[in-house]
Amino acid sequence: MTTDARILILGGTPEARQLALLLQARAPAPDQVILSFAGAVRDLPETSCEIRVGGFGGAEGLADYLLSRKITALVDATHPFAASISANAQAASSATGIPLLRLLRPAWAPMQGDDWTDCANSAAALEALPASCRPFLALGRQELRQIFSKAAHLPALFRSIEPADFPIPEGWRWIEGRPARSMTAELQLLRDAGITHMVTKNSGGDGAYQKIAAARALQIPVLMVSRPAEPAQAVLPDAEATCDALMAIFTTRS
Ligand code: NAP
Protein backbone atom coordinates (compact mmCIF):
# COMPACT_ATOMS: atom_id res chain seq x y z
CA MET A 1 0.00 0.00 0.00
CA THR A 2 1.39 3.43 -0.90
CA THR A 3 1.87 6.14 1.75
CA ASP A 4 -0.89 8.37 0.30
CA ALA A 5 -3.57 5.65 0.62
CA ARG A 6 -6.08 6.27 3.42
CA ILE A 7 -8.96 3.87 3.95
CA LEU A 8 -12.10 4.47 5.99
CA ILE A 9 -13.85 1.27 7.10
CA LEU A 10 -17.43 1.63 8.27
CA GLY A 11 -17.53 -1.10 10.89
CA GLY A 12 -19.57 -2.74 13.62
CA THR A 13 -18.95 -6.29 12.37
CA PRO A 14 -16.24 -8.93 12.90
CA GLU A 15 -15.41 -8.69 9.19
CA ALA A 16 -14.62 -4.97 9.52
CA ARG A 17 -12.19 -5.75 12.35
CA GLN A 18 -10.56 -8.53 10.32
CA LEU A 19 -10.16 -6.18 7.37
CA ALA A 20 -8.59 -3.50 9.58
CA LEU A 21 -6.04 -6.07 10.79
CA LEU A 22 -5.21 -7.23 7.26
CA LEU A 23 -4.77 -3.65 6.05
CA GLN A 24 -2.72 -2.60 9.04
CA ALA A 25 -0.23 -5.31 8.19
CA ARG A 26 0.23 -3.73 4.73
CA ALA A 27 0.08 -0.02 5.66
CA PRO A 28 3.34 1.91 6.03
CA ALA A 29 1.79 4.31 8.62
CA PRO A 30 -0.77 3.64 11.40
CA ASP A 31 -3.10 6.50 10.42
CA GLN A 32 -3.77 5.04 6.97
CA VAL A 33 -6.59 2.81 8.22
CA ILE A 34 -9.53 4.32 10.10
CA LEU A 35 -12.19 2.06 11.61
CA SER A 36 -15.49 3.77 12.32
CA PHE A 37 -18.17 2.72 14.83
CA ALA A 38 -21.65 4.08 15.38
CA GLY A 39 -21.14 3.93 19.15
CA ALA A 40 -23.99 1.50 19.85
CA VAL A 41 -21.87 -0.80 22.04
CA ARG A 42 -19.20 0.10 24.57
CA ASP A 43 -16.56 -2.63 24.08
CA LEU A 44 -14.47 -1.47 21.14
CA PRO A 45 -11.64 -3.65 19.80
CA GLU A 46 -8.03 -3.14 20.70
CA THR A 47 -6.31 -2.22 17.49
CA SER A 48 -3.36 -0.17 16.35
CA CYS A 49 -5.39 1.57 13.64
CA GLU A 50 -7.25 4.82 14.21
CA ILE A 51 -10.72 4.42 15.69
CA ARG A 52 -13.51 6.95 15.46
CA VAL A 53 -16.90 6.67 17.13
CA GLY A 54 -20.28 8.26 16.32
CA GLY A 55 -22.35 9.27 13.31
CA PHE A 56 -21.07 11.59 10.60
CA GLY A 57 -24.28 13.56 10.24
CA GLY A 58 -25.87 11.80 7.26
CA ALA A 59 -24.52 11.36 3.73
CA GLU A 60 -23.35 14.97 3.54
CA GLY A 61 -21.46 14.73 6.81
CA LEU A 62 -19.80 11.53 5.61
CA ALA A 63 -18.84 13.17 2.31
CA ASP A 64 -17.30 16.10 4.23
CA TYR A 65 -15.36 13.69 6.43
CA LEU A 66 -14.05 11.77 3.39
CA LEU A 67 -12.75 14.96 1.83
CA SER A 68 -11.37 16.56 4.99
CA ARG A 69 -9.49 13.41 5.98
CA LYS A 70 -8.26 12.83 2.41
CA ILE A 71 -9.76 9.35 2.31
CA THR A 72 -8.82 7.49 -0.89
CA ALA A 73 -11.12 4.46 -0.51
CA LEU A 74 -14.25 3.81 1.54
CA VAL A 75 -15.30 0.33 2.68
CA ASP A 76 -18.83 -0.30 3.87
CA ALA A 77 -18.32 -3.31 6.14
CA THR A 78 -21.40 -2.63 8.25
CA HIS A 79 -23.99 -5.18 9.29
CA PRO A 80 -26.40 -6.41 6.57
CA PHE A 81 -29.29 -4.77 8.45
CA ALA A 82 -27.62 -1.37 8.89
CA ALA A 83 -29.43 0.09 5.87
CA SER A 84 -29.10 3.83 6.56
CA ILE A 85 -25.32 3.96 6.78
CA SER A 86 -25.01 1.82 3.64
CA ALA A 87 -27.25 4.23 1.71
CA ASN A 88 -25.20 7.15 3.08
CA ALA A 89 -21.96 5.47 2.02
CA GLN A 90 -23.29 5.06 -1.51
CA ALA A 91 -24.43 8.70 -1.67
CA ALA A 92 -21.16 10.05 -0.21
CA SER A 93 -19.11 7.98 -2.63
CA SER A 94 -21.16 9.27 -5.59
CA ALA A 95 -20.85 12.87 -4.37
CA THR A 96 -17.08 12.74 -3.85
CA GLY A 97 -15.95 10.22 -6.48
CA ILE A 98 -14.14 8.26 -3.76
CA PRO A 99 -14.39 4.54 -4.55
CA LEU A 100 -16.69 2.46 -2.35
CA LEU A 101 -16.37 -1.26 -1.71
CA ARG A 102 -19.11 -3.26 0.02
CA LEU A 103 -18.04 -6.11 2.30
CA LEU A 104 -21.21 -8.15 2.89
CA ARG A 105 -21.15 -11.59 4.39
CA PRO A 106 -23.43 -14.11 2.65
CA ALA A 107 -26.90 -14.72 4.07
CA TRP A 108 -27.74 -18.00 5.79
CA ALA A 109 -29.62 -20.54 3.66
CA PRO A 110 -31.98 -23.13 5.14
CA MET A 111 -30.69 -26.69 5.44
CA GLN A 112 -32.50 -29.98 5.68
CA GLY A 113 -34.34 -30.03 9.00
CA ASP A 114 -34.79 -26.25 9.20
CA ASP A 115 -38.34 -24.95 9.58
CA TRP A 116 -38.09 -21.31 8.48
CA THR A 117 -40.75 -18.78 7.58
CA ASP A 118 -39.34 -15.73 5.81
CA CYS A 119 -40.64 -12.39 7.12
CA ALA A 120 -40.22 -8.99 5.46
CA ASN A 121 -39.18 -7.25 8.69
CA SER A 122 -39.01 -7.73 12.45
CA ALA A 123 -42.49 -6.31 13.09
CA ALA A 124 -44.00 -8.78 10.60
CA ALA A 125 -42.11 -11.60 12.30
CA LEU A 126 -43.55 -10.73 15.73
CA GLU A 127 -47.02 -10.47 14.20
CA ALA A 128 -46.59 -13.95 12.69
CA LEU A 129 -46.00 -15.58 16.10
CA PRO A 130 -48.88 -17.84 17.21
CA ALA A 131 -51.24 -16.46 19.87
CA SER A 132 -49.78 -18.82 22.45
CA CYS A 133 -46.06 -19.58 22.30
CA ARG A 134 -42.80 -19.02 24.15
CA PRO A 135 -40.52 -17.21 21.70
CA PHE A 136 -36.81 -16.45 21.75
CA LEU A 137 -36.51 -12.97 20.26
CA ALA A 138 -32.99 -12.90 18.84
CA LEU A 139 -33.32 -9.28 17.71
CA GLY A 140 -31.36 -6.18 18.66
CA ARG A 141 -32.63 -4.05 21.52
CA GLN A 142 -32.86 -1.01 19.25
CA GLU A 143 -35.34 -2.66 16.93
CA LEU A 144 -37.21 -4.28 19.83
CA ARG A 145 -37.65 -0.82 21.35
CA GLN A 146 -39.80 0.08 18.34
CA ILE A 147 -41.90 -3.09 18.22
CA PHE A 148 -41.81 -4.86 21.60
CA SER A 149 -45.51 -4.16 22.22
CA LYS A 150 -46.38 -6.64 19.44
CA ALA A 151 -45.07 -9.49 21.62
CA ALA A 152 -45.73 -7.96 25.06
CA HIS A 153 -48.46 -10.57 25.77
CA LEU A 154 -46.07 -13.52 25.26
CA PRO A 155 -43.55 -15.04 27.73
CA ALA A 156 -40.60 -14.08 25.56
CA LEU A 157 -36.88 -14.47 26.13
CA PHE A 158 -34.52 -11.91 24.65
CA ARG A 159 -30.79 -11.38 24.74
CA SER A 160 -28.83 -8.21 24.06
CA ILE A 161 -25.31 -6.91 24.58
CA GLU A 162 -26.46 -3.69 26.23
CA PRO A 163 -29.42 -3.46 28.65
CA ALA A 164 -32.82 -2.70 27.15
CA ASP A 165 -33.75 0.96 26.97
CA PHE A 166 -37.49 0.32 26.85
CA PRO A 167 -39.89 -0.96 29.54
CA ILE A 168 -39.45 -4.74 29.48
CA PRO A 169 -42.91 -6.39 29.46
CA GLU A 170 -43.75 -8.21 32.70
CA GLY A 171 -43.68 -11.74 31.29
CA TRP A 172 -40.36 -11.32 29.46
CA ARG A 173 -36.96 -12.53 30.57
CA TRP A 174 -33.83 -10.63 29.51
CA ILE A 175 -30.35 -12.11 29.42
CA GLU A 176 -27.25 -10.06 28.82
CA GLY A 177 -24.70 -11.14 26.25
CA ARG A 178 -23.74 -11.95 22.72
CA PRO A 179 -24.87 -15.05 20.82
CA ALA A 180 -23.12 -18.14 22.25
CA ARG A 181 -20.32 -19.58 20.11
CA SER A 182 -21.18 -23.15 21.11
CA MET A 183 -24.24 -25.05 19.98
CA THR A 184 -24.35 -26.83 23.35
CA ALA A 185 -24.85 -23.51 25.12
CA GLU A 186 -27.58 -22.43 22.69
CA LEU A 187 -29.31 -25.82 23.00
CA GLN A 188 -29.28 -25.53 26.76
CA LEU A 189 -30.67 -21.99 26.66
CA LEU A 190 -33.54 -22.95 24.35
CA ARG A 191 -34.33 -26.15 26.32
CA ASP A 192 -34.15 -24.52 29.76
CA ALA A 193 -36.40 -21.66 28.70
CA GLY A 194 -38.91 -24.01 27.00
CA ILE A 195 -38.65 -22.05 23.75
CA THR A 196 -41.24 -22.98 21.09
CA HIS A 197 -40.39 -20.38 18.38
CA MET A 198 -37.41 -18.26 17.39
CA VAL A 199 -37.40 -14.84 15.74
CA THR A 200 -34.13 -13.79 14.18
CA LYS A 201 -32.66 -11.73 11.35
CA ASN A 202 -30.77 -13.31 8.50
CA SER A 203 -27.47 -11.81 9.61
CA GLY A 204 -25.25 -14.52 8.10
CA GLY A 205 -21.77 -15.35 9.36
CA ASP A 206 -20.56 -17.74 12.03
CA GLY A 207 -20.87 -15.59 15.15
CA ALA A 208 -24.64 -15.91 15.62
CA TYR A 209 -25.26 -19.16 13.76
CA GLN A 210 -25.26 -21.64 16.64
CA LYS A 211 -28.77 -20.67 17.72
CA ILE A 212 -30.00 -21.57 14.22
CA ALA A 213 -28.32 -24.96 14.43
CA ALA A 214 -29.82 -25.45 17.89
CA ALA A 215 -33.32 -24.57 16.61
CA ARG A 216 -32.86 -27.14 13.84
CA ALA A 217 -31.83 -29.82 16.34
CA LEU A 218 -34.83 -29.07 18.57
CA GLN A 219 -37.23 -28.69 15.59
CA ILE A 220 -38.11 -25.15 16.68
CA PRO A 221 -39.77 -23.07 13.93
CA VAL A 222 -37.79 -19.96 13.01
CA LEU A 223 -39.33 -16.70 11.82
CA MET A 224 -36.45 -15.44 9.69
CA VAL A 225 -36.34 -11.71 8.95
CA SER A 226 -35.08 -11.10 5.40
CA ARG A 227 -32.30 -8.60 4.74
CA PRO A 228 -33.16 -5.09 3.59
CA ALA A 229 -32.45 -4.29 -0.06
CA GLU A 230 -28.85 -3.22 -0.70
CA PRO A 231 -27.91 -0.34 -3.00
CA ALA A 232 -27.01 -1.90 -6.37
CA GLN A 233 -23.29 -2.64 -6.29
CA ALA A 234 -20.88 -5.54 -6.38
CA VAL A 235 -20.28 -7.13 -3.00
CA LEU A 236 -17.22 -8.79 -1.53
CA PRO A 237 -17.98 -11.71 0.78
CA ASP A 238 -15.13 -11.48 3.30
CA ALA A 239 -12.20 -9.46 4.62
CA GLU A 240 -9.59 -11.25 2.47
CA ALA A 241 -11.42 -10.56 -0.81
CA THR A 242 -11.94 -6.92 0.21
CA CYS A 243 -8.28 -6.48 1.11
CA ASP A 244 -7.26 -7.92 -2.29
CA ALA A 245 -9.70 -5.57 -4.09
CA LEU A 246 -8.28 -2.57 -2.23
CA MET A 247 -4.72 -3.58 -3.07
CA ALA A 248 -5.76 -3.85 -6.73
CA ILE A 249 -7.12 -0.27 -6.62
CA PHE A 250 -3.91 1.11 -5.14
CA THR A 251 -1.68 -0.91 -7.49
CA THR A 252 -3.55 0.40 -10.54
CA ARG A 253 -3.12 3.98 -9.30
CA SER A 254 0.59 3.86 -8.46
P1 NAP B 1 -28.06 2.31 10.59
O1 NAP B 1 -29.50 2.35 10.95
O2 NAP B 1 -27.69 2.02 9.19
O3 NAP B 1 -27.33 3.67 11.00
C1 NAP B 1 -27.91 4.68 11.80
C2 NAP B 1 -26.91 5.81 11.91
O4 NAP B 1 -25.82 5.42 12.75
C3 NAP B 1 -26.27 6.18 10.59
O5 NAP B 1 -27.09 7.03 9.83
C4 NAP B 1 -24.99 6.82 11.05
O6 NAP B 1 -25.24 8.12 11.59
C5 NAP B 1 -24.62 5.97 12.25
N1 NAP B 1 -23.72 4.86 11.90
C6 NAP B 1 -24.04 3.57 11.59
N2 NAP B 1 -22.95 2.82 11.41
C7 NAP B 1 -21.90 3.66 11.60
C8 NAP B 1 -20.50 3.47 11.57
N3 NAP B 1 -19.96 2.25 11.32
N4 NAP B 1 -19.70 4.54 11.82
C9 NAP B 1 -20.24 5.77 12.10
N5 NAP B 1 -21.58 5.98 12.16
C10 NAP B 1 -22.39 4.94 11.91
O7 NAP B 1 -27.29 1.27 11.51
P2 NAP B 1 -27.79 0.41 12.76
O8 NAP B 1 -28.61 -0.71 12.27
O9 NAP B 1 -28.32 1.34 13.81
O10 NAP B 1 -26.40 -0.19 13.24
C11 NAP B 1 -25.45 0.65 13.88
C12 NAP B 1 -24.09 -0.03 13.83
O11 NAP B 1 -24.16 -1.30 14.49
C13 NAP B 1 -23.60 -0.28 12.41
O12 NAP B 1 -22.29 0.21 12.31
C14 NAP B 1 -23.67 -1.78 12.22
O13 NAP B 1 -22.58 -2.28 11.46
C15 NAP B 1 -23.66 -2.31 13.65
N6 NAP B 1 -24.52 -3.49 13.83
C16 NAP B 1 -25.83 -3.43 13.44
C17 NAP B 1 -26.65 -4.55 13.61
C18 NAP B 1 -28.07 -4.54 13.15
O14 NAP B 1 -28.75 -5.58 13.29
N7 NAP B 1 -28.58 -3.45 12.61
C19 NAP B 1 -26.11 -5.70 14.20
C20 NAP B 1 -24.77 -5.72 14.61
C21 NAP B 1 -23.98 -4.60 14.41
P3 NAP B 1 -25.04 9.44 10.70
O15 NAP B 1 -26.16 9.46 9.71
O16 NAP B 1 -25.08 10.53 11.70
O17 NAP B 1 -23.70 9.32 10.02
Side-chain angles (χ1 to χ4, degrees):
M1 197 193 293
T2 50
T3 46
D4 58 347
R6 181 167 283 123
I7 301 164
L8 174 66
I9 306 170
L10 301 171
T13 58
E15 296 78 28
R17 297 175 193 207
Q18 286 158 13
L19 177 62
L21 278 174
L22 289 174
L23 291 171
Q24 273 301 99
R26 290 170 166 80
D31 66 349
Q32 287 186 263
V33 181
I34 305 168
L35 181 53
S36 174
F37 292 88
V41 294
R42 280 169 293 183
D43 64 331
L44 297 175
E46 281 187 27
T47 160
S48 58
C49 75
E50 181 178 331
I51 285 196
R52 69 163 301 286
V53 181
F56 297 91
E60 270 184 33
L62 178 54
D64 290 346
Y65 181 90
L66 295 175
L67 295 173
S68 67
R69 290 298 311 269
K70 298 187 169 44
I71 301 296
T72 52
L74 172 63
V75 180
D76 174 9
T78 60
H79 191 272
F81 281 80
S84 302
I85 189 73
S86 292
N88 291 350
Q90 186 89 37
S93 167
S94 300
T96 58
I98 293 167
L100 167 68
L101 281 73
R102 175 62 166 135
L103 194 180
L104 182 69
R105 60 192 182 215
W108 295 319
M111 292 172 48
Q112 191 171 8
D114 280 324
D115 176 1
W116 292 8
T117 302
D118 289 332
C119 301
N121 53 51
S122 301
L126 293 194
E127 279 162 5
L129 284 166
S132 168
C133 68
R134 190 174 281 275
F136 176 35
L137 307 179
L139 298 171
R141 75 188 162 106
Q142 283 172 335
E143 49 201 323
L144 273 177
R145 184 174 57 216
Q146 315 290 333
I147 56 171
F148 70 93
S149 60
K150 293 183 189 300
H153 58 292
L154 295 170
L157 171 71
F158 90 99
R159 174 172 60 195
S160 57
I161 302 165
E162 303 287 344
D165 49 2
F166 57 87
I168 298 178
E170 212 168 286
W172 284 28
R173 184 180 144 216
W174 171 66
I175 50 171
E176 182 178 1
R178 294 179 185 275
R181 288 298 210 156
S182 96
M183 182 168 154
T184 314
E186 296 295 53
L187 276 172
Q188 192 173 348
L189 177 72
L190 299 180
R191 273 205 200 102
D192 290 353
I195 295 301
T196 63
H197 291 73
M198 181 182 294
V199 179
T200 187
K201 297 181 296 190
N202 196 332
S203 298
D206 300 336
Y209 188 72
Q210 292 310 316
K211 65 176 181 287
I212 307 292
R216 183 186 312 129
L218 296 175
Q219 297 182 310
I220 290 174
V222 175
L223 298 163
M224 183 64 76
V225 181
S226 305
R227 292 178 169 194
E230 280 280 323
Q233 64 191 316
V235 297
L236 297 151
D238 53 37
E240 288 77 12
T242 311
C243 184
D244 290 348
L246 284 165
M247 292 308 126
I249 289 177
F250 294 124
T251 308
T252 316
R253 280 182 180 172
S254 59

